[in-house]
């Protein structure tokens, strides 16, 4: 009886792992809803699913996502990470929202791999309105940096017209530069 229960548990684990791995494909944009203690999601963190290195090797080792990760203050880095470590308590869903847009579509596997390899380990100044993780993920998949933050508290900010967004992004850049000067000095 113990062996039967053990076999059933192992079978359930194998089925669960296969279902989890089957839901994401190389190059998918993954969205992690961050609630920050609120009932509704405040924002989403975005990453590109790369899978384990035995599927498509872009240098990820045992890691299965590639994303823009804030390191020290406003300076961030593109790096590989694990889905589970990044997920935390957040629900995760695929958000390949340009796949069905006329004139758009994902890049080829080779184009996505090149963008990942070209970005790996690079640092940049983070900008919440113009250089965030969603901009990066959409650039890797579609070669078009875009942010919508669909279904979140901050979505209205991203729906503002382009002129207002540019002004807000410029203010953000000035603020980040001032912060960097303050931290360096």
């Amino acid at each position: 009886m113990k062996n039967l229960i053990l076999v059933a548990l192992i079978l359930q684990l194998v089925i669960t792992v296969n279902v989890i791995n089957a839901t994401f494909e190389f190059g998918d944009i993954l969205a992690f809803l961050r609630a920050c203690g609120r009932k509704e999601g405040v924002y989403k963190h975005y990453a590109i699913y790369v899978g384990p290195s035995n599927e498509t090797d872009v240098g990820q080792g045992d890691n299965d996502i590639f994303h823009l990760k804030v390191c020290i203050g406003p300076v961030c880095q593109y790096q590989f990470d694990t889905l589970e470590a990044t997920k935390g308590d957040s629900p995760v869903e695929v958000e390949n929202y340009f796949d069905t847009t006329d004139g758009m579509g994902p890049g080829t596997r080779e184009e996505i791999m090149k963008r990942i390899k070209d970005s790996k380990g690079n640092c940049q100044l983070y900008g919440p309105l113009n250089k965030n993780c969603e901009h990066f993920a959409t650039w890797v998949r579609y070669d078009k940096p875009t942010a919508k933050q669909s279904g979140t508290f901050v979505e209205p900010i991203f729906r503002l017209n382009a002129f207002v967004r540019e002004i807000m992004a410029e203010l953000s850049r000035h603020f980040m530069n001032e912060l960097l000067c303050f931290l360096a000095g």
Side-chain angles (χ1 to χ4, degrees), residues 113-171:
M113 288 175 67
K114 181 176 179 356
R115 290 181 198 123
I116 290 170
K117 288 178 180 179
D118 289 349
S119 303
K120 188 172 95 174
N122 292 339
C123 291
Q124 76 167 32
L125 191 60
Y126 179 81
L129 299 172
N130 62 339
K131 294 238 180 190
N132 66 35
C133 56
E134 187 176 4
H135 288 101
F136 177 67
T138 55
W139 173 75
V140 169
R141 184 169 177 86
Y142 303 110
D143 197 25
K144 180 180 172 82
T146 304
K148 295 182 176 187
Q149 288 291 318
S150 297
T152 67
F153 178 76
V154 298
E155 179 182 6
I157 295 169
F158 291 89
R159 284 189 293 175
L160 294 173
N161 71 46
F163 177 71
V164 174
R165 279 198 321 265
E166 285 178 32
I167 291 172
M168 291 177 73
E170 186 64 26
L171 289 171

Short mmCIF file of all heavy atoms in Angstrom, two decimals, residues 113-171:
data_model
loop_
_atom_site.label_atom_id
_atom_site.label_comp_id
_atom_site.label_asym_id
_atom_site.label_seq_id
_atom_site.Cartn_x
_atom_site.Cartn_y
_atom_site.Cartn_z
N MET A 113 17.11 35.21 -29.37
CA MET A 113 18.37 34.76 -28.77
C MET A 113 19.45 35.83 -28.90
O MET A 113 20.19 36.09 -27.95
CB MET A 113 18.84 33.45 -29.42
CG MET A 113 18.01 32.25 -29.04
SD MET A 113 18.50 30.75 -29.92
CE MET A 113 20.12 30.46 -29.24
N LYS A 114 19.53 36.49 -30.05
CA LYS A 114 20.54 37.53 -30.26
C LYS A 114 20.30 38.70 -29.31
O LYS A 114 21.24 39.22 -28.70
CB LYS A 114 20.54 38.02 -31.71
CG LYS A 114 21.58 39.10 -31.97
CD LYS A 114 21.64 39.51 -33.41
CE LYS A 114 22.65 40.59 -33.72
NZ LYS A 114 23.40 41.23 -32.71
N ARG A 115 19.05 39.14 -29.16
CA ARG A 115 18.75 40.26 -28.26
C ARG A 115 19.11 39.91 -26.81
O ARG A 115 19.63 40.76 -26.07
CB ARG A 115 17.28 40.67 -28.37
CG ARG A 115 16.96 41.32 -29.70
CD ARG A 115 15.49 41.75 -29.79
NE ARG A 115 15.15 41.97 -31.18
CZ ARG A 115 14.17 41.37 -31.83
NH1 ARG A 115 13.36 40.54 -31.21
NH2 ARG A 115 13.95 41.63 -33.11
N ILE A 116 18.83 38.68 -26.43
CA ILE A 116 19.19 38.24 -25.07
C ILE A 116 20.71 38.24 -24.89
O ILE A 116 21.23 38.79 -23.92
CB ILE A 116 18.59 36.85 -24.77
CG1 ILE A 116 17.07 36.96 -24.63
CG2 ILE A 116 19.22 36.24 -23.52
CD1 ILE A 116 16.35 35.62 -24.57
N LYS A 117 21.42 37.62 -25.83
CA LYS A 117 22.88 37.54 -25.72
C LYS A 117 23.51 38.92 -25.75
O LYS A 117 24.48 39.18 -25.04
CB LYS A 117 23.44 36.66 -26.83
CG LYS A 117 23.14 35.18 -26.61
CD LYS A 117 23.67 34.32 -27.74
CE LYS A 117 23.35 32.86 -27.49
NZ LYS A 117 23.83 32.00 -28.57
N ASP A 118 22.99 39.84 -26.56
CA ASP A 118 23.52 41.20 -26.63
C ASP A 118 23.28 41.99 -25.34
O ASP A 118 24.02 42.91 -25.03
CB ASP A 118 22.91 41.97 -27.81
CG ASP A 118 23.40 41.48 -29.16
OD1 ASP A 118 24.38 40.70 -29.21
OD2 ASP A 118 22.81 41.88 -30.19
N SER A 119 22.23 41.64 -24.60
CA SER A 119 21.87 42.38 -23.38
C SER A 119 22.49 41.80 -22.13
O SER A 119 22.64 42.52 -21.13
CB SER A 119 20.34 42.36 -23.21
OG SER A 119 19.71 42.89 -24.32
N LYS A 120 22.80 40.53 -22.14
CA LYS A 120 23.24 39.82 -20.93
C LYS A 120 24.38 40.55 -20.22
O LYS A 120 25.40 40.85 -20.81
CB LYS A 120 23.68 38.40 -21.29
CG LYS A 120 23.96 37.53 -20.08
CD LYS A 120 24.19 36.11 -20.50
CE LYS A 120 25.66 35.86 -20.63
NZ LYS A 120 25.98 34.46 -20.89
N GLY A 121 24.15 40.87 -18.95
CA GLY A 121 25.16 41.49 -18.12
C GLY A 121 25.28 42.99 -18.27
O GLY A 121 25.99 43.63 -17.50
N ASN A 122 24.60 43.59 -19.24
CA ASN A 122 24.66 45.04 -19.43
C ASN A 122 23.86 45.75 -18.35
O ASN A 122 22.87 45.24 -17.86
CB ASN A 122 24.12 45.44 -20.80
CG ASN A 122 25.01 44.97 -21.93
OD1 ASN A 122 26.18 44.68 -21.74
ND2 ASN A 122 24.44 44.87 -23.11
N CYS A 123 24.30 46.95 -18.02
CA CYS A 123 23.59 47.78 -17.05
C CYS A 123 22.99 48.99 -17.76
O CYS A 123 23.44 49.38 -18.83
CB CYS A 123 24.54 48.29 -15.97
SG CYS A 123 25.12 47.00 -14.87
N GLN A 124 21.98 49.57 -17.16
CA GLN A 124 21.39 50.81 -17.68
C GLN A 124 20.74 51.55 -16.53
O GLN A 124 20.53 51.01 -15.45
CB GLN A 124 20.36 50.52 -18.75
CG GLN A 124 19.02 50.00 -18.22
CD GLN A 124 17.94 50.04 -19.28
OE1 GLN A 124 18.21 49.89 -20.45
NE2 GLN A 124 16.73 50.26 -18.86
N LEU A 125 20.40 52.80 -16.79
CA LEU A 125 19.66 53.60 -15.83
C LEU A 125 18.18 53.26 -15.98
O LEU A 125 17.63 53.34 -17.08
CB LEU A 125 19.90 55.09 -16.11
CG LEU A 125 19.42 56.07 -15.06
CD1 LEU A 125 20.09 55.80 -13.71
CD2 LEU A 125 19.71 57.49 -15.51
N TYR A 126 17.55 52.87 -14.90
CA TYR A 126 16.15 52.47 -14.91
C TYR A 126 15.25 53.69 -15.04
O TYR A 126 15.50 54.73 -14.43
CB TYR A 126 15.82 51.73 -13.61
CG TYR A 126 14.39 51.29 -13.49
CD1 TYR A 126 13.95 50.13 -14.11
CD2 TYR A 126 13.48 52.03 -12.74
CE1 TYR A 126 12.64 49.72 -14.00
CE2 TYR A 126 12.16 51.62 -12.62
CZ TYR A 126 11.75 50.46 -13.25
OH TYR A 126 10.45 50.06 -13.14
N GLY A 127 14.21 53.58 -15.85
CA GLY A 127 13.21 54.63 -15.97
C GLY A 127 11.83 54.00 -15.91
O GLY A 127 11.48 53.21 -16.79
N PRO A 128 11.03 54.28 -14.90
CA PRO A 128 9.74 53.60 -14.74
C PRO A 128 8.79 53.83 -15.92
O PRO A 128 7.96 52.98 -16.20
CB PRO A 128 9.17 54.18 -13.45
CG PRO A 128 9.96 55.40 -13.17
CD PRO A 128 11.28 55.26 -13.83
N LEU A 129 8.93 54.94 -16.63
CA LEU A 129 8.02 55.23 -17.73
C LEU A 129 8.61 54.97 -19.11
O LEU A 129 7.89 54.95 -20.10
CB LEU A 129 7.55 56.69 -17.65
CG LEU A 129 6.80 57.03 -16.38
CD1 LEU A 129 6.55 58.52 -16.31
CD2 LEU A 129 5.50 56.26 -16.29
N ASN A 130 9.93 54.80 -19.18
CA ASN A 130 10.54 54.64 -20.49
C ASN A 130 11.59 53.55 -20.59
O ASN A 130 12.01 53.21 -21.69
CB ASN A 130 11.14 55.98 -20.94
CG ASN A 130 12.24 56.45 -20.01
OD1 ASN A 130 12.32 56.03 -18.87
ND2 ASN A 130 13.09 57.33 -20.50
N LYS A 131 12.05 53.00 -19.50
CA LYS A 131 13.08 51.96 -19.53
C LYS A 131 12.83 50.97 -18.40
O LYS A 131 13.67 50.76 -17.54
CB LYS A 131 14.47 52.56 -19.37
CG LYS A 131 14.91 53.42 -20.50
CD LYS A 131 16.17 52.90 -21.08
CE LYS A 131 16.58 53.81 -22.21
NZ LYS A 131 17.63 53.29 -22.97
N ASN A 132 11.64 50.36 -18.41
CA ASN A 132 11.33 49.41 -17.34
C ASN A 132 11.37 47.98 -17.87
O ASN A 132 11.69 47.74 -19.03
CB ASN A 132 9.99 49.75 -16.67
CG ASN A 132 8.80 49.59 -17.60
OD1 ASN A 132 8.75 48.71 -18.46
ND2 ASN A 132 7.81 50.45 -17.43
N CYS A 133 11.03 47.04 -17.02
CA CYS A 133 11.12 45.62 -17.38
C CYS A 133 10.16 45.24 -18.51
O CYS A 133 10.46 44.36 -19.32
CB CYS A 133 10.89 44.74 -16.16
SG CYS A 133 9.32 45.06 -15.33
N GLU A 134 9.01 45.90 -18.60
CA GLU A 134 8.07 45.61 -19.68
C GLU A 134 8.60 46.14 -21.01
O GLU A 134 8.49 45.46 -22.04
CB GLU A 134 6.69 46.20 -19.39
CG GLU A 134 5.64 45.79 -20.40
CD GLU A 134 4.25 46.30 -20.05
OE1 GLU A 134 4.09 47.05 -19.07
OE2 GLU A 134 3.32 45.95 -20.79
N HIS A 135 9.20 47.32 -21.01
CA HIS A 135 9.84 47.83 -22.23
C HIS A 135 10.89 46.84 -22.71
O HIS A 135 10.99 46.54 -23.90
CB HIS A 135 10.53 49.18 -21.96
CG HIS A 135 9.60 50.32 -21.78
ND1 HIS A 135 9.28 50.81 -20.54
CD2 HIS A 135 8.90 51.06 -22.67
CE1 HIS A 135 8.44 51.83 -20.68
NE2 HIS A 135 8.19 51.99 -21.97
N PHE A 136 11.67 46.33 -21.77
CA PHE A 136 12.74 45.40 -22.13
C PHE A 136 12.16 44.10 -22.69
O PHE A 136 12.61 43.61 -23.73
CB PHE A 136 13.64 45.12 -20.92
CG PHE A 136 14.70 44.12 -21.23
CD1 PHE A 136 15.72 44.43 -22.13
CD2 PHE A 136 14.69 42.87 -20.65
CE1 PHE A 136 16.70 43.49 -22.44
CE2 PHE A 136 15.66 41.93 -20.95
CZ PHE A 136 16.67 42.25 -21.84
N ALA A 137 11.18 43.52 -22.02
CA ALA A 137 10.61 42.24 -22.47
C ALA A 137 9.96 42.37 -23.85
O ALA A 137 10.12 41.48 -24.70
CB ALA A 137 9.59 41.74 -21.45
N THR A 138 9.24 43.47 -24.09
CA THR A 138 8.61 43.63 -25.41
C THR A 138 9.66 43.89 -26.49
O THR A 138 9.49 43.48 -27.63
CB THR A 138 7.55 44.75 -25.42
OG1 THR A 138 8.14 45.97 -24.95
CG2 THR A 138 6.35 44.38 -24.56
N TRP A 139 10.76 44.54 -26.13
CA TRP A 139 11.84 44.72 -27.09
C TRP A 139 12.47 43.37 -27.45
O TRP A 139 12.70 43.09 -28.63
CB TRP A 139 12.91 45.67 -26.53
CG TRP A 139 14.11 45.74 -27.43
CD1 TRP A 139 14.21 46.40 -28.62
CD2 TRP A 139 15.36 45.09 -27.22
NE1 TRP A 139 15.45 46.20 -29.16
CE2 TRP A 139 16.18 45.40 -28.32
CE3 TRP A 139 15.87 44.27 -26.21
CZ2 TRP A 139 17.48 44.93 -28.44
CZ3 TRP A 139 17.17 43.80 -26.33
CH2 TRP A 139 17.97 44.13 -27.44
N VAL A 140 12.72 42.53 -26.44
CA VAL A 140 13.32 41.22 -26.72
C VAL A 140 12.41 40.39 -27.62
O VAL A 140 12.86 39.81 -28.60
CB VAL A 140 13.63 40.45 -25.42
CG1 VAL A 140 14.02 39.01 -25.70
CG2 VAL A 140 14.75 41.15 -24.64
N ARG A 141 11.12 40.35 -27.34
CA ARG A 141 10.20 39.50 -28.13
C ARG A 141 9.83 40.12 -29.47
O ARG A 141 9.78 39.42 -30.48
CB ARG A 141 8.93 39.20 -27.33
CG ARG A 141 7.99 38.24 -28.07
CD ARG A 141 6.88 37.74 -27.18
NE ARG A 141 5.96 36.89 -27.92
CZ ARG A 141 6.11 35.59 -28.13
NH1 ARG A 141 7.16 34.95 -27.66
NH2 ARG A 141 5.21 34.90 -28.80
N TYR A 142 9.56 41.44 -29.48
CA TYR A 142 8.99 42.06 -30.69
C TYR A 142 9.90 43.10 -31.36
O TYR A 142 9.53 43.64 -32.39
CB TYR A 142 7.68 42.77 -30.34
CG TYR A 142 6.65 41.88 -29.72
CD1 TYR A 142 6.31 42.01 -28.39
CD2 TYR A 142 6.00 40.92 -30.48
CE1 TYR A 142 5.35 41.19 -27.82
CE2 TYR A 142 5.04 40.10 -29.92
CZ TYR A 142 4.72 40.24 -28.59
OH TYR A 142 3.77 39.44 -28.03
N ASP A 143 11.01 43.45 -30.73
CA ASP A 143 11.87 44.53 -31.21
C ASP A 143 11.13 45.86 -31.14
O ASP A 143 11.34 46.75 -31.97
CB ASP A 143 12.39 44.25 -32.63
CG ASP A 143 13.58 45.13 -32.99
OD1 ASP A 143 14.29 45.58 -32.08
OD2 ASP A 143 13.80 45.35 -34.20
N LYS A 144 10.22 46.00 -30.18
CA LYS A 144 9.43 47.22 -30.00
C LYS A 144 9.23 47.45 -28.49
O LYS A 144 8.35 46.83 -27.88
CB LYS A 144 8.08 47.09 -30.69
CG LYS A 144 7.19 48.32 -30.54
CD LYS A 144 5.87 48.13 -31.24
CE LYS A 144 4.91 49.23 -30.94
NZ LYS A 144 5.08 50.43 -31.71
N PRO A 145 10.04 48.33 -27.89
CA PRO A 145 9.88 48.57 -26.45
C PRO A 145 8.56 49.29 -26.15
O PRO A 145 8.33 50.38 -26.66
CB PRO A 145 11.09 49.43 -26.08
CG PRO A 145 11.57 50.00 -27.37
CD PRO A 145 11.12 49.10 -28.47
N THR A 146 7.71 48.65 -25.38
CA THR A 146 6.39 49.17 -25.07
C THR A 146 6.03 48.80 -23.64
O THR A 146 6.46 47.76 -23.15
CB THR A 146 5.33 48.56 -26.01
OG1 THR A 146 5.72 48.81 -27.35
CG2 THR A 146 3.96 49.12 -25.78
N ALA A 147 5.25 49.63 -22.99
CA ALA A 147 4.73 49.29 -21.67
C ALA A 147 3.27 49.69 -21.59
O ALA A 147 2.90 50.80 -21.97
CB ALA A 147 5.53 49.98 -20.57
N LYS A 148 2.43 48.76 -21.12
CA LYS A 148 1.00 49.00 -20.94
C LYS A 148 0.56 48.83 -19.50
O LYS A 148 -0.38 49.45 -19.07
CB LYS A 148 0.19 48.03 -21.81
CG LYS A 148 0.38 48.23 -23.30
CD LYS A 148 -0.50 47.25 -24.06
CE LYS A 148 -0.43 47.48 -25.54
NZ LYS A 148 -1.40 46.64 -26.25
N GLN A 149 1.21 47.91 -18.77
CA GLN A 149 0.83 47.58 -17.40
C GLN A 149 -0.67 47.28 -17.31
O GLN A 149 -1.36 47.72 -16.40
CB GLN A 149 1.23 48.70 -16.45
CG GLN A 149 2.71 48.80 -16.20
CD GLN A 149 3.26 47.64 -15.41
OE1 GLN A 149 2.68 47.18 -14.42
NE2 GLN A 149 4.41 47.13 -15.84
N SER A 150 -1.16 46.50 -18.27
CA SER A 150 -2.58 46.17 -18.35
C SER A 150 -3.10 45.50 -17.08
O SER A 150 -2.47 44.59 -16.55
CB SER A 150 -2.84 45.24 -19.53
OG SER A 150 -2.51 45.89 -20.73
N GLY A 151 -4.25 45.96 -16.61
CA GLY A 151 -4.90 45.36 -15.45
C GLY A 151 -4.28 45.71 -14.12
O GLY A 151 -4.50 45.02 -13.13
N THR A 152 -3.49 46.79 -14.07
CA THR A 152 -2.85 47.17 -12.82
C THR A 152 -3.29 48.57 -12.38
O THR A 152 -3.91 49.31 -13.15
CB THR A 152 -1.31 47.18 -12.95
OG1 THR A 152 -0.94 48.23 -13.85
CG2 THR A 152 -0.78 45.85 -13.44
N PHE A 153 -2.95 48.92 -11.17
CA PHE A 153 -3.25 50.23 -10.62
C PHE A 153 -2.57 51.34 -11.42
O PHE A 153 -3.12 52.43 -11.59
CB PHE A 153 -2.77 50.26 -9.15
CG PHE A 153 -2.97 51.57 -8.46
CD1 PHE A 153 -4.23 51.94 -8.02
CD2 PHE A 153 -1.91 52.42 -8.24
CE1 PHE A 153 -4.43 53.15 -7.37
CE2 PHE A 153 -2.09 53.63 -7.59
CZ PHE A 153 -3.35 53.99 -7.16
N VAL A 154 -1.36 51.08 -11.95
CA VAL A 154 -0.61 52.11 -12.67
C VAL A 154 -0.93 52.16 -14.17
O VAL A 154 -0.40 53.02 -14.87
CB VAL A 154 0.92 51.94 -12.47
CG1 VAL A 154 1.29 52.09 -11.01
CG2 VAL A 154 1.41 50.62 -13.03
N GLU A 155 -1.81 51.31 -14.65
CA GLU A 155 -2.15 51.29 -16.08
C GLU A 155 -2.55 52.66 -16.62
O GLU A 155 -2.11 53.03 -17.73
CB GLU A 155 -3.25 50.27 -16.36
CG GLU A 155 -3.67 50.22 -17.81
CD GLU A 155 -4.81 49.25 -18.07
OE1 GLU A 155 -5.36 48.67 -17.11
OE2 GLU A 155 -5.15 49.07 -19.25
N PRO A 156 -3.36 53.46 -15.92
CA PRO A 156 -3.75 54.77 -16.48
C PRO A 156 -2.57 55.67 -16.84
O PRO A 156 -2.64 56.43 -17.78
CB PRO A 156 -4.61 55.39 -15.38
CG PRO A 156 -5.14 54.23 -14.60
CD PRO A 156 -4.06 53.19 -14.65
N ILE A 157 -1.49 55.57 -16.09
CA ILE A 157 -0.30 56.37 -16.40
C ILE A 157 0.23 56.01 -17.79
O ILE A 157 0.63 56.87 -18.56
CB ILE A 157 0.79 56.16 -15.33
CG1 ILE A 157 0.31 56.69 -13.98
CG2 ILE A 157 2.11 56.81 -15.75
CD1 ILE A 157 1.19 56.32 -12.82
N PHE A 158 0.19 54.72 -18.12
CA PHE A 158 0.72 54.26 -19.40
C PHE A 158 -0.26 54.51 -20.55
O PHE A 158 0.11 54.39 -21.71
CB PHE A 158 1.13 52.79 -19.31
CG PHE A 158 2.34 52.61 -18.44
CD1 PHE A 158 2.21 52.40 -17.08
CD2 PHE A 158 3.60 52.69 -18.99
CE1 PHE A 158 3.33 52.27 -16.27
CE2 PHE A 158 4.73 52.55 -18.19
CZ PHE A 158 4.60 52.34 -16.83
N ARG A 159 -1.49 54.85 -20.24
CA ARG A 159 -2.47 55.18 -21.29
C ARG A 159 -2.49 56.67 -21.62
O ARG A 159 -3.19 57.09 -22.54
CB ARG A 159 -3.87 54.73 -20.87
CG ARG A 159 -4.06 53.22 -21.00
CD ARG A 159 -5.48 52.85 -20.80
NE ARG A 159 -5.82 53.12 -19.39
CZ ARG A 159 -7.01 53.00 -18.88
NH1 ARG A 159 -8.03 52.66 -19.64
NH2 ARG A 159 -7.24 53.24 -17.60
N LEU A 160 -1.76 57.47 -20.86
CA LEU A 160 -1.71 58.91 -21.14
C LEU A 160 -1.18 59.13 -22.55
O LEU A 160 -0.44 58.32 -23.09
CB LEU A 160 -0.80 59.61 -20.14
CG LEU A 160 -1.26 59.62 -18.69
CD1 LEU A 160 -0.17 60.20 -17.81
CD2 LEU A 160 -2.54 60.42 -18.53
N ASN A 161 -1.50 60.26 -23.11
CA ASN A 161 -1.00 60.51 -24.46
C ASN A 161 0.52 60.63 -24.46
O ASN A 161 1.15 60.86 -23.44
CB ASN A 161 -1.68 61.73 -25.10
CG ASN A 161 -1.25 63.04 -24.48
OD1 ASN A 161 -0.07 63.27 -24.28
ND2 ASN A 161 -2.20 63.90 -24.21
N ALA A 162 1.10 60.48 -25.63
CA ALA A 162 2.55 60.41 -25.78
C ALA A 162 3.25 61.66 -25.25
O ALA A 162 4.32 61.56 -24.62
CB ALA A 162 2.91 60.19 -27.25
N PHE A 163 2.69 62.85 -25.46
CA PHE A 163 3.32 64.09 -25.01
C PHE A 163 3.46 64.10 -23.48
O PHE A 163 4.53 64.41 -22.95
CB PHE A 163 2.51 65.30 -25.47
CG PHE A 163 3.05 66.61 -24.98
CD1 PHE A 163 4.24 67.10 -25.49
CD2 PHE A 163 2.38 67.33 -24.01
CE1 PHE A 163 4.75 68.31 -25.03
CE2 PHE A 163 2.88 68.53 -23.55
CZ PHE A 163 4.07 69.03 -24.05
N VAL A 164 2.39 63.74 -22.78
CA VAL A 164 2.42 63.73 -21.32
C VAL A 164 3.41 62.67 -20.83
O VAL A 164 4.19 62.90 -19.90
CB VAL A 164 1.01 63.49 -20.74
CG1 VAL A 164 1.06 63.32 -19.23
CG2 VAL A 164 0.08 64.63 -21.11
N ARG A 165 3.42 61.50 -21.48
CA ARG A 165 4.37 60.45 -21.10
C ARG A 165 5.81 60.91 -21.29
O ARG A 165 6.68 60.63 -20.47
CB ARG A 165 4.12 59.17 -21.90
CG ARG A 165 3.00 58.33 -21.36
CD ARG A 165 3.05 56.90 -21.87
NE ARG A 165 3.43 56.75 -23.25
CZ ARG A 165 2.59 56.64 -24.27
NH1 ARG A 165 1.30 56.67 -24.05
NH2 ARG A 165 3.03 56.49 -25.49
N GLU A 166 6.09 61.63 -22.39
CA GLU A 166 7.44 62.13 -22.64
C GLU A 166 7.87 63.12 -21.55
O GLU A 166 9.00 63.07 -21.07
CB GLU A 166 7.53 62.79 -24.01
CG GLU A 166 7.54 61.82 -25.16
CD GLU A 166 7.57 62.52 -26.51
OE1 GLU A 166 8.17 63.62 -26.59
OE2 GLU A 166 7.00 61.97 -27.45
N ILE A 167 6.98 64.01 -21.17
CA ILE A 167 7.29 64.96 -20.10
C ILE A 167 7.56 64.22 -18.79
O ILE A 167 8.54 64.50 -18.10
CB ILE A 167 6.15 65.99 -19.93
CG1 ILE A 167 6.10 66.92 -21.14
CG2 ILE A 167 6.33 66.79 -18.63
CD1 ILE A 167 4.90 67.83 -21.16
N MET A 168 6.70 63.25 -18.47
CA MET A 168 6.89 62.49 -17.23
C MET A 168 8.18 61.68 -17.28
O MET A 168 8.90 61.59 -16.28
CB MET A 168 5.68 61.59 -16.98
CG MET A 168 4.42 62.38 -16.63
SD MET A 168 2.97 61.34 -16.43
CE MET A 168 3.33 60.58 -14.87
N ALA A 169 8.51 61.11 -18.44
CA ALA A 169 9.75 60.35 -18.58
C ALA A 169 10.96 61.26 -18.42
O ALA A 169 11.96 60.88 -17.79
CB ALA A 169 9.78 59.64 -19.93
N GLU A 170 10.90 62.45 -18.99
CA GLU A 170 12.00 63.41 -18.86
C GLU A 170 12.19 63.82 -17.40
O GLU A 170 13.32 63.89 -16.90
CB GLU A 170 11.75 64.64 -19.74
CG GLU A 170 12.90 65.61 -19.78
CD GLU A 170 14.17 65.04 -20.40
OE1 GLU A 170 14.09 64.10 -21.22
OE2 GLU A 170 15.26 65.53 -20.05
N LEU A 171 11.10 64.07 -16.70
CA LEU A 171 11.18 64.38 -15.27
C LEU A 171 11.78 63.22 -14.50
O LEU A 171 12.61 63.41 -13.60
CB LEU A 171 9.80 64.73 -14.71
CG LEU A 171 9.20 66.06 -15.16
CD1 LEU A 171 7.75 66.16 -14.70
CD2 LEU A 171 10.02 67.22 -14.63
#
